Amino acid sequence: AQTVTQSQPEMSVQEAETVTLSCTYDTSESDYYLFWYKQPPSRQMILVIRQEAYKQQNATENRFSVNFQKAAKSFSLKISDSQLGDAAMYFCAYRVASNFGNEKLTFGTGTRLTIIP
Amino acid sequence: GAGVSQTPSNKVTEKGKYVELRCDPISGHTALYWYRQSLGQGPEFLIYFQGTGAADDSGLPNDRFFAVRPEGSVSTLKIQRTERGDSAVYLCASSAGWGTQYFGPGTRLLVL
């Protein structure tokens, strides 16, 4: 079974600084997707960034980038120039890519990010 | 366009009662998913529909939980004989086949 581990329950960062959230996962699959989702107090899960395992290049979306280390099964999220609106729970998630029907996401337990003004 | 919507936003019920939670996916999305998020945890998969059929219901915890999607659009999650342990946020997501899953705001269920 696939598992996703987020070892940092809480993180904080000064506004405008950079913070990195950690995620590791365990899988025997070779083809899969990894995601970071943001969940503000409104409860709605918002996709931050997505990485395909077959791509060596790390995904970036504006101030958000990932460090994907496939051999180490590590997938960290870097937030640059942190803003107050970035405060939320951040969840790392995994989905296998190869088989039709295995569409479910497996989530970690989340990291609560606080932005200090 | 409109995102995934879920009703009700909050539901309070008594132990032993029956509840229905509704999910209206993004128009045209063929895949629909239900997850349950307990306090302080990440979402856990319950069931996945591709069209009208349940492609994977391996996450349903027991036979008190059932979900339908009769016309391939709106889905209803049904919980019979609710228990206090069923209290959680129930999240629905939809996707266009293999694509990214887009989530609704969830229904917070409290069983007294």
Side-chain angles (χ1 to χ4, degrees), chain B residues 1-56:
Chain B
V4 178
S5 62
Q6 293 186 245
T7 55
S9 179
N10 296 281
K11 176 70 176 179
V12 181
T13 191
E14 293 179 346
K15 180 176 177 296
K17 299 290 189 182
Y18 168 84
V19 296
E20 290 189 350
L21 311 179
R22 175 188 168 108
C23 173
D24 203 336
I26 293 172
S27 179
H29 279 191
T30 56
L32 185 146
Y33 317 79
W34 284 99
Y35 295 85
R36 180 168 71 174
Q37 186 175 20
S38 300
L39 191 63
Q41 300 295 316
E44 293 181 318
F45 170 77
L46 294 176
I47 186 169
Y48 152 54
F49 287 90
Q50 184 62 41
T52 60
D56 182 356

Side-chain angles (χ1 to χ4, degrees), chain A residues 18-61:
Chain A
T18 296
V19 64
T20 298
L21 309 184
S22 300
C23 173
T24 59
Y25 58 95
D26 188 22
T27 182
S28 58
E29 302 287 341
S30 59
D31 195 12
Y32 48 87
Y33 297 98
L34 294 164
F35 306 83
W36 279 97
Y37 279 89
K38 168 185 176 181
Q39 187 178 42
S42 66
R43 297 197 307 245
Q44 185 145 9
M45 301 284 278
I46 302 165
L47 179 68
V48 174
I49 199 164
R50 160 185 164 139
Q51 174 80 45
E52 289 85 354
Y54 66 86
K55 290 185 177 179
Q56 292 187 337
Q57 187 173 6
N58 289 323
T60 62
E61 286 289 341

